[in-house]
Amino acid sequence: DNLDNGFDFDTEDGRGQFLSLLSSSKKDHSTAVPSSCFALSTDKEYAFDEGVVVPRSFQFYLAVACGLPIVDISFLESHSKKKRLGIMNHQHYPFPSIDKKKMAEEEKATHVIGASNHNWYAPQKATSAAIERHSLWTSGEGIHSSSDTLLPGTDLLQNYSVILLGDFDQPSVSKRVAKKKAKSSETTSDGSCTKGNITVLLQLCGANVYDVTSMAAPKHI
């Protein structure tokens, strides 16, 4: 959904605050992010028995990059209905199933399985990768084994180096202004393709990100 996320990804501090919020700590015996957080969508383009397809947006890509399960708002509506009918305990906190084999058909239909014109089941693949990454870390294996804190992500772009160059949306332009500009020009950008937003997505996927303007004296972001 096109909602402000409250973090300024175009600053290093903003990206750091977001990553810290979803990080896991060995001291706290934190569970994997996909097992404790999920993303909620209130917009959908198609609904099938096997899941929901939503419009492409930065928020969708952010949830996928974090490895979060994504469900349609109907997931919560279904649980609320069950509580009103007394089928479910009011103290029960609804959380989407991660194991597809254990999902009831009703719940399966509420899971987001992809975005428009995009490969399906990317969210599910990312969630599996994030859980595997966390499992390796807790067992003292993998590239993050020596760290006491595990930042969110999937490492699906591990060992990739990405150089940022070209034109990006300006962070000072609000989404409302960007939409007006898109209607009056040939651009279709909604204002979310800022350098900071692209950077945080790549970092969550485990890529090494560089700014082309600093390549004379390479600066790793």
Side-chain angles (χ1 to χ4, degrees), residues 2-217:
N2 290 320
L3 300 175
D4 290 330
N5 52 53
F7 293 94
D8 184 3
F9 292 141
D10 287 287
T11 66
E12 189 172 342
D13 285 343
R15 293 192 295 271
Q17 289 172 8
F18 176 79
L19 295 174
S20 177
L21 179 67
L22 293 179
S23 64
S24 300
S25 172
K26 288 183 177 178
K27 295 180 181 178
D28 300 333
H29 303 288
S30 304
T31 58
V33 171
S35 300
S36 56
C37 303
F38 66 92
L40 186 67
S41 172
T42 58
D43 195 8
K44 59 184 173 184
E45 291 202 338
Y46 307 104
F48 305 98
D49 291 339
E50 58 266 41
V52 174
V53 175
V54 300
R56 286 191 291 175
S57 67
F58 170 69
Q59 284 75 11
F60 168 78
Y61 290 124
L62 183 63
V64 172
C66 288
L68 298 178
I70 312 173
V71 291
D72 180 66
I73 188 67
S74 58
F75 171 80
L76 294 183
E77 293 172 345
S78 174
H79 280 73
S80 296
K81 181 178 180 180
K82 290 178 180 179
K83 287 183 178 181
R84 289 195 301 271
L85 295 174
I87 301 174
M88 180 178 291
N89 190 310
H90 281 270
Q91 301 300 319
H92 180 75
Y93 179 76
F95 196 89
S97 302
I98 296 177
D99 189 344
K100 187 176 180 180
K101 296 179 180 178
K102 296 181 180 179
M103 285 185 201
E105 291 300 317
E106 179 185 1
E107 181 183 347
K108 191 181 298 183
T110 67
H111 278 246
V112 172
I113 57 175
S116 306
N117 301 320
H118 194 276
N119 291 337
W120 286 13
Y121 297 109
Q124 286 69 28
K125 293 176 182 177
T127 296
S128 296
I131 292 176
E132 175 64 19
R133 177 176 176 266
H134 185 275
S135 178
L136 289 172
W137 173 68
T138 54
S139 61
E141 303 177 43
I143 61 174
H144 306 290
S145 59
S146 61
S147 177
D148 290 332
T149 301
L150 181 69
L151 297 178
T154 62
D155 284 348
L156 290 174
L157 293 181
Q158 180 188 337
N159 297 327
Y160 279 79
S161 293
V162 179
I163 301 174
L164 300 180
L165 71 160
D167 296 326
F168 296 87
D169 290 332
Q170 296 302 309
S172 59
V173 178
S174 70
K175 292 178 181 178
R176 183 175 298 177
V177 172
K179 287 182 178 179
K180 288 183 179 180
K181 286 187 176 182
K183 290 181 179 179
S184 60
S185 64
E186 295 181 357
T187 179
T188 57
S189 174
D190 64 354
S192 64
C193 292
T194 66
K195 186 176 291 186
N197 284 356
I198 301 302
T199 295
V200 76
L201 291 179
L202 291 169
Q203 288 177 329
L204 284 164
C205 293
N208 294 309
V209 187
Y210 299 89
D211 188 340
V212 71
T213 59
S214 305
M215 287 306 291

